[in-house]
Amino acid sequence: MSDPDATRSELPTLREQRRDELRRRLSDTATALFLERGFGGVTVAEIAAACGVTEKTVFNHFRTKESLLVDRWDDTIAALGTALAAPDVPVVDSTVRLLDRELDFLTERGTATATTMRRVARFGQLLWSTPELVDHNQRGLQRLTTAALAALATRFATSTHDPATRITAYAVAGLVQVFYASVARHVTTHDAQRCRRAVRRDVRRAAQQLRAGVVG
């Protein structure tokens, strides 16, 4: 029989629920305003006012203006570290599985409507056409590479300076880049199933190449 006190301790408190709800509201409001007026056309103060909070409150939840729009790097990096730590699953397979879950999120497991996919496409266009957001994502990718390197060094009992460990971490990061480039290309179809199939195909082709070795 499970311990009811232990179960209760695992449930989010009312304070945590309110914090998470406010964080989602801030991010959703910021995203809507950015899509409507562009990233540079909206201030953090305006986002705060739209949500009925202070600018300081916004920065209590998000470190930067950019992270209001792109806030999944922390979760992705943490999930990748956990995935790479599993010694019974090959590194490439772990990464592919993680990217499949991210694709499920973006396409709602292939059930997203055309309207939703158009919004995802507009979101992507904003990300890839705004210098501040491009820089933010580059920093996110660097953090992901560093986290992958640390996880792999632990897994292989090597140093983060070990050449084989480093090239493996870079390969993992490269697979992530292939994923996002493929999403950017195929989300413009506005068809969730078609996008999902195409991205999965691209990722698996890249993964197979990693397993086979460098071309040439």
Side-chain angles (χ1 to χ4, degrees), residues 54-72:
T54 65
E55 192 171 348
K56 182 177 182 295
T57 297
V58 176
F59 285 118
N60 285 340
H61 290 269
F62 296 92
R63 290 191 296 269
T64 64
K65 178 183 176 182
E66 290 81 4
S67 60
L68 275 159
L69 188 65
V70 188
D71 64 342
R72 289 183 59 78

Side-chain angles (χ1 to χ4, degrees), residues 1 9 13 16-18 21 37 41 57-58 71 74 78 86 109 116 126 151 153-154 157 164 187 199 202 210:
M1 180 181 293
S9 68
T13 64
E16 290 171 336
Q17 289 176 342
R18 288 176 175 171
E21 288 170 1
R37 291 156 49 185
T57 297
V58 176
D71 64 342
D74 287 346
R109 293 183 177 273
T116 297
L126 180 64
T154 299
V187 74
V199 173
D202 286 349
L210 287 179

Side-chain angles (χ1 to χ4, degrees), residues 88-151:
D88 56 330
V89 182
V91 169
V92 172
D93 292 354
S94 295
T95 308
V96 169
R97 291 178 187 179
L98 175 70
L99 296 176
D100 280 348
R101 290 194 293 273
E102 184 69 11
L103 184 60
D104 284 344
F105 170 79
L106 290 173
T107 65
E108 298 176 7
R109 293 183 177 273
T111 65
T113 64
T115 299
T116 297
M117 294 303 290
R118 286 190 188 93
R119 190 168 187 270
V120 173
R122 288 177 58 212
F123 179 86
Q125 185 178 21
L126 180 64
L127 290 183
W128 301 308
S129 64
T130 306
E132 298 95 326
L133 296 173
V134 171
D135 289 344
H136 177 77
N137 281 329
Q138 285 296 323
R139 290 193 297 273
L141 184 63
Q142 289 170 358
R143 288 173 52 216
L144 181 142
T145 305
T146 299
L149 182 57

Side-chain angles (χ1 to χ4, degrees), residues 9-22:
S9 68
E10 294 172 359
L11 296 175
T13 64
L14 181 59
R15 182 177 181 180
E16 290 171 336
Q17 289 176 342
R18 288 176 175 171
R19 179 199 62 200
D20 292 344
E21 288 170 1
L22 176 56

